Amino acid sequence: MTEQNPQPEKAASQEGPTLRIMLACALGMSTSILVQRMQEAAAAQGKNYKIWAADQSSIESELGNFDVVLLGPQVRHILRKVRGVVGDAAPVEVIDARAYGRGDGATVIAQAESLTGGE
């Protein structure tokens, strides 16, 4: 009697993202390089994260689509306003300026994870 193998479980990459990180800045352009570096770091760490950049004016329309919002250091002055818009839906913080300037995707991922109680 041959034993049949059960169906393999879905690989993590086929499931939905485990953390959705939205970066916001003045126009969504200055964070785009950092997004790419964060995506590379997440992939290298075997993490299935959705990471994207948006214009600060689109934060309200994105409500429900993110688990954490990280603001570019150049728009830190809108932190209180954004926290008011987002409320308890997700943590909001300014990206560490040193990590931002260096394009250190792994450090920014760690910042997002610490805000959400992630890994």
Side-chain angles (χ1 to χ4, degrees):
M1 184 174 195
T2 50
E3 195 175 308
Q4 290 186 341
N5 291 332
Q7 290 291 329
E9 291 183 25
K10 281 184 175 179
S13 63
Q14 293 175 339
E15 296 174 358
T18 56
L19 185 62
R20 301 168 301 164
I21 306 168
M22 186 173 88
L23 277 55
C25 65
L27 297 173
M29 294 170 56
S30 61
T31 52
S32 62
I33 293 170
L34 184 58
V35 165
Q36 182 178 0
R37 300 248 174 98
M38 290 173 70
Q39 289 168 338
E40 291 167 357
Q45 296 171 21
K47 296 175 179 173
N48 182 21
Y49 289 176
K50 179 179 179 186
I51 306 165
W52 74 102
D55 168 330
Q56 66 184 1
S57 66
S58 66
I59 293 171
E60 190 168 7
S61 65
E62 290 279 356
L63 277 173
N65 295 331
F66 52 78
D67 299 310
V68 60
V69 176
L70 296 175
L71 302 175
Q74 71 277 26
V75 294
R76 72 179 329 116
H77 62 279
I78 65 166
L79 178 61
R80 184 176 294 168
K81 177 183 173 190
V82 173
R83 283 182 173 159
V85 169
V86 174
D88 294 333
V92 179
E93 194 54 73
V94 175
I95 299 168
D96 176 79
R98 187 168 288 165
Y100 183 88
R102 292 180 179 165
D104 186 345
T107 297
V108 180
I109 285 174
Q111 181 182 4
E113 290 170 341
S114 72
L115 292 168
T116 60
E119 295 178 26

